[in-house]
């Protein structure tokens, strides 16, 4: 079995473990396996299981005392696989089909982790076990639940951490099949809205005189948005840092179009930018959001149940741009509901982290761009931020190094959704380009 | 075992059968048992299993060829028992506790059925198996799902049906513990709202530019109401028949107060009548409603899932007053959503039936009122309509007789909700008063 086959077997093993951090399942189990893989490759490993999801710090040291340090950040936790009925294969079994690999976490983030391990393994064998840079892996297990303990963890190991460049856990090719490099991501605050309107579910004849809980919750949610898709919460946008000209230009250079977005996701409602005239790309990358992850109330079985539900709950999230505070954002939403006469809606914060954007003209970032461009024979799409969320702000706070995000994904990857998949060719290219990046430091 | 114990055993047997018409479970099974009970008592039984829920027509004939005919309408189907975790005893086991009987259907409607059977059984034994009136039971199994086949069934047996008075399936004592007699009920149209906004659930970073399905559904629901609790659908109230002075007076004589309603149900939000200044009782009895029975979308498990749900569904119902058409009402709701820019919300009608109000000065109704007043030593509360729904309009259309509704329930009965219960004393009183009504026809 060659090195790549060996790490494909590891990926198969990792996908088979439903390491869902939201459910707190199988986290130490998978972390132990990964830590051992680092040890096998010769890394110094610090395995810290103080937290519900253990952290792995794995250091590959160069023999060159002046070597720079590359930090690679990955995570072994995944999103839940539900709704299970929409998967065309078992989400917990790595399934190869038509040149693609399917399974929960195959992109986000187990595939990225094993590709990078394979790259280092191959590089070491091909280069007499020598590295021109120090490579430090930080692997956590709570990325999908807002990296709850990452701040505390990084503080604890602050004196052992140092970096010139950070390679981020995620990324890949866009809808035009061009490799992208991100330098930032949005922050997030997640929260539940819940309301109780009576001691029990009531006979629905009482709907003549009392609100139901789902009606009040629906109203609360509806008040958060105007009909154009703007967020109607007063002061919500107050702290938004407008993108600078370079950031705008990078985003405008994106090949993304409204037509490709609509086709790719099968969208059936007008885009906000089609309604409010805003710039599509700037909206996607530089505007904060509010999203409803889920809502439930009352009877949802077969047939009819003439009941007036007394309780209703929704899971919401707000994605934040740099300079927006998770807690202050939530406070503004709370104030808004209060002002709208919906003070009986109970808000419970679940998770929060701020956003971050790298300086995309940093020399280390430019080096990455160059290596990627040379390898793929195409200029990568370079973006100051991803529209998604991750703990970049926390990592940057600790390491004070610029961050570049690129990985094994592509536009059809379906992170967080059923049938998450990657293309085997992208996976192998990522192994190659990580090796090429290491090699560049030989110079 | 005396007669009442015998029929209590039957009630125990019936409650143990989860005859949920919404799930179409156990309906022929329970109908067969009930038909046999009628046969045991000497009734002529026509058991019609053409429909998913068999109908039972059971006739007890008087030897007096000039005897009037009393029709008693009951049903053996029940609402689902969910949410199961809120029951303090097994919903499918008749449980006696503190003078009360608990179980799904113990009031609605199995308790009413067995009490009436017990009344006839006792009357026959105490009166040499002779009846001063003909008594015809119509027992169906789809009352909780809008009596889907009742119209067709009644048409089929039209030449065998005749009535001077109809005793309805439900009723009981109010919050002041006074027996009530209803002469009408609201109609209903039930429907699902559903929306699909994308081919798959999306990564929630896309919330910057696209609506989620739960957001659009919440908006659709919110547009149905104004902040005072009025229904904001244009023309919704156009066909409402205003109550006449007698009907208003009957409703105003109700001991119901806002304080008692709030206390009884543990209501935590202001009543509509507190907000819009309308008359509480007239609103409850004479105004149509829209209610959300249930809503579901996206991820509702533990923790957080950063997903933008592509589908959302809600179950709604509108209760109608006489002269409102189920289909036209639904059309108006559809037109409203269309006008609100929500034409992607798909409306699916599930059930519909019109409302009805009896003339509460009919001599047969006055006789019932007098019997009830004499038995309970108190003037019953007489109401032209219940705030709830039932197929009175269908029955009235066929039988052309006034309808009186009173039964074994009380204010704490919790029909359709967890811990449905009746008081044993009310149950026995209902047996007594049905016997007294039969006896009155001896005169």
């Amino acid at each position: 079995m060659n090195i790549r086959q060996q790490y494909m077997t590891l990926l198969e093993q990792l996908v088979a473990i439903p390491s869902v951090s939201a459910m707190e399942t199988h986290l130490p189990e998978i972390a132990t396996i990964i830590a051992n893989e680092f040890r096998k490759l010769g890394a110094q490993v610090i395995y810290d299981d103080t937290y519900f999801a253990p952290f792995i710090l794995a250091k590959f040291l160069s023999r060159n005392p002046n070597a720079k340090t590359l930090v690679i950040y990955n995570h072994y936790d995944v999103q839940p696989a539900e709704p299970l009925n929409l998967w065309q294969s078992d989400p917990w079994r790595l399934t190869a089909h038509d040149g693609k690999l399917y399974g929960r976490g195959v992109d986000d983030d187990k595939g990225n982790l094993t590709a990078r391990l394979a790259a280092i393994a191959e590089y070491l064998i091909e280069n007499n076990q020598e590295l021109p840079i120090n490579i430090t892996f930080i692997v956590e297990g709570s990325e999908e639940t807002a990296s709850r303990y990452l701040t505390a963890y990084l503080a604890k190991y602050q004196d052992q951490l140092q970096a010139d460049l950070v390679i981020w856990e995620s990324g890949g090719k866009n809808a035009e099949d061009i490799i992208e490099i991100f330098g930032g991501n949005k922050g997030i605050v997640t929260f539940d809205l819940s309301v109780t309107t009576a001691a029990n579910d009531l006979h629905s004849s009482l709907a003549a005189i009392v609100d139901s809980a789902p009606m009040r919750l629906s109203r609360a949610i509806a008040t958060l948005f105007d009909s154009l898709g703007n967020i109607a919460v007063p002061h919500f946008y107050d702290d938004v840092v407008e993108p600078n000209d370079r950031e705008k230009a990078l985003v405008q250079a994106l090949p993304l179009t409204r037509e490709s977005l609509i086709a790719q996701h099968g969208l059936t409602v007008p885009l906000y930018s089609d309604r409010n005239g805003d710039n599509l790309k700037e909206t996607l990358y530089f505007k904060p959001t509010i999203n409803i992850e889920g809502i439930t109330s009352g009877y949802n079985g077969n047939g009819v149940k003439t009941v007036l539900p007394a309780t209703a709950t929704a899971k919401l999230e707000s994605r934040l741009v740099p300079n927006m505070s998770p807690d202050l954002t939530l406070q503004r939403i709370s104030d808004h509901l209060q002002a709208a006469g919906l003070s009986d809606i109970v808000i419970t914060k679940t998770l929060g982290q701020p956003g971050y954007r790298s300086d995309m003209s940093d020399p280390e970032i430019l080096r990455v761009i160059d290596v990627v461009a040379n390898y793929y024979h195409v200029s990568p799409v370079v973006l100051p931020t991803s529209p998604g969320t991750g703990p970049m702000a926390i990592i940057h706070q600790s390491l004070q190094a610029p961050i570049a995000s690129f990985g094994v994904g592509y536009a059809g990857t379906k992170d967080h959704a059923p049938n998450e998949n990657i293309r085997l060719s992208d996976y192998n290219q990522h192994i190659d380009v990580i090796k090429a990046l290491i090699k560049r430091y030989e110079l």
Side-chain angles (χ1 to χ4, degrees), chain A:
Chain A
M1 194 152 66
N2 71 24
I3 301 245
R4 296 199 183 194
Q5 283 168 341
Q6 191 178 318
Y7 284 93
M8 187 56 72
T9 303
L10 175 63
L11 179 55
E12 197 174 349
Q13 189 184 359
L14 297 184
V15 167
I17 301 172
S19 50
V20 178
S21 55
M23 314 288 281
E24 304 195 6
T25 52
H26 302 279
L27 304 175
E29 175 188 343
I30 195 168
T32 305
I33 293 168
I34 293 165
N36 283 336
E37 292 294 331
F38 280 116
R39 289 191 192 100
K40 277 194 228 165
L41 272 181
Q44 298 175 358
V45 173
I46 303 177
Y47 182 86
D48 187 340
D49 60 1
T50 317
Y51 312 93
F52 79 105
F55 283 88
I56 303 155
L57 188 68
K59 291 189 175 186
F60 297 93
L61 297 181
S62 169
R63 294 182 200 153
N64 173 2
N66 301 318
K68 292 193 171 183
T69 299
L70 169 65
V71 166
I72 299 182
Y73 167 74
N74 281 104
H75 62 93
Y76 57 77
D77 62 319
V78 294
Q79 287 280 328
E82 285 82 2
L84 298 176
N85 60 316
L86 297 183
W87 282 82
Q88 279 156 19
S89 59
D90 180 350
W92 308 116
R93 184 174 170 184
L94 186 70
T95 304
H97 180 63
D98 276 351
K100 291 172 189 156
L101 300 170
Y102 290 83
R104 170 56 84 229
V106 73
D107 179 66
D108 185 12
D109 185 42
K110 294 168 177 176
N112 279 297
L113 175 62
T114 59
R116 292 160 185 186
L117 277 167
I120 292 168
E122 276 193 1
Y123 188 94
L124 287 169
I125 282 185
E126 293 165 4
N127 294 275
N128 302 314
Q129 302 295 322
E130 288 195 30
L131 285 171
I133 43 166
N134 305 307
I135 300 177
T136 302
F137 276 83
I138 299 171
V139 184
E140 70 148 309
S142 177
E143 198 271 347
E144 299 296 0
T145 46
S147 301
R148 261 185 279 173
Y149 296 103
L150 185 58
T151 305
Y153 172 79
L154 293 172
K156 188 167 162 186
Y157 293 91
Q158 186 65 54
D159 58 351
Q160 301 195 42
L161 292 171
Q162 185 268 324
D164 295 281
L165 171 68
V166 178
I167 300 293
W168 203 247
E169 47 101 10
S170 59
K173 292 181 184 165
N174 63 19
E176 286 68 31
D177 234 19
I178 311 290
I179 188 79
E180 294 183 329
I181 300 174
F182 294 98
N185 53 31
K186 288 185 178 173
I188 200 167
V189 58
T190 66
F191 53 103
D192 294 345
L193 297 185
S194 65
V195 62
T196 300
T197 51
N200 295 96
D201 286 355
L202 307 176
H203 191 282
S204 67
S205 59
L206 287 168
I209 48 171
V210 295
D211 291 330
S212 68
M215 175 181 153
R216 283 191 84 73
L217 185 59
S218 295
R219 180 177 302 161
I221 290 170
T223 66
L224 300 175
F225 308 94
D226 69 19
S227 62
L228 301 177
N230 300 309
I231 292 160
V233 175
H235 307 294
F236 184 82
Y237 295 106
D238 279 9
D239 303 330
V240 169
V241 171
E242 290 301 320
N244 61 35
D245 289 347
R246 175 143 201 279
E247 290 174 323
K248 281 189 191 180
L250 284 169
V251 159
Q252 284 312 325
L254 270 179
L256 176 81
T257 64
R258 60 180 292 289
E259 290 72 21
S260 65
L261 255 176
I262 290 167
Q264 182 190 347
H265 299 298
L267 303 180
T268 60
V269 285
L271 301 181
Y272 293 161
S273 45
D274 288 344
R275 287 187 246 165
N276 61 21
D278 285 353
N279 181 286
L280 170 66
K281 295 169 187 174
E282 290 185 15
T283 301
L284 180 57
Y285 288 91
F286 301 125
K287 271 205 171 179
T289 73
I290 293 179
N291 174 53
I292 300 121
E293 298 174 349
I295 181 168
T296 184
S297 177
Y299 181 72
N300 295 295
N302 286 330
V304 164
K305 186 179 181 188
T306 51
V307 71
L308 187 148
T311 62
T313 306
K315 289 178 181 287
L316 280 82
E317 60 173 55
S318 175
R319 292 195 188 252
L320 312 171
V321 297
N323 200 43
M324 288 178 80
S325 149
D327 288 339
L328 181 56
T329 298
L330 200 52
Q331 185 57 50
R332 285 169 172 162
I333 292 168
S334 173
D335 291 347
H336 169 66
L337 292 179
Q338 189 92 23
L342 294 161
S343 54
D344 54 324
I345 306 284
V346 176
I347 304 182
T348 308
K349 177 183 167 183
T350 44
L351 305 165
Q353 62 181 213
Y356 164 75
R357 295 207 286 263
S358 288
D359 172 6
M360 297 310 278
S361 40
D362 184 285
E364 296 296 333
I365 294 283
L366 296 176
R367 188 200 314 255
V368 171
I369 293 171
D370 194 51
V371 167
V372 169
N374 279 337
Y375 173 77
Y376 286 97
H377 305 295
V378 65
S379 289
V381 170
V382 178
L383 280 167
T385 183
S386 135
T389 296
M392 279 190 181
I394 301 170
I395 294 274
H396 180 77
Q397 177 93 22
S398 169
L399 297 176
Q400 297 292 323
I403 302 175
S405 184
F406 58 105
V408 301
Y410 77 113
T413 281
K414 297 181 181 163
D415 276 2
H416 296 198
N419 305 310
E420 178 176 349
N421 72 95
I422 58 174
R423 297 182 298 205
L424 190 55
S425 55
D426 294 326
Y427 181 82
N428 280 311
Q429 287 169 5
H430 192 64
I431 297 176
D432 292 339
V433 79
I434 292 291
K435 282 172 66 182
L437 178 64
I438 298 170
K439 190 156 196 69
R440 179 67 65 94
Y441 284 89
E442 291 174 3
L443 306 179

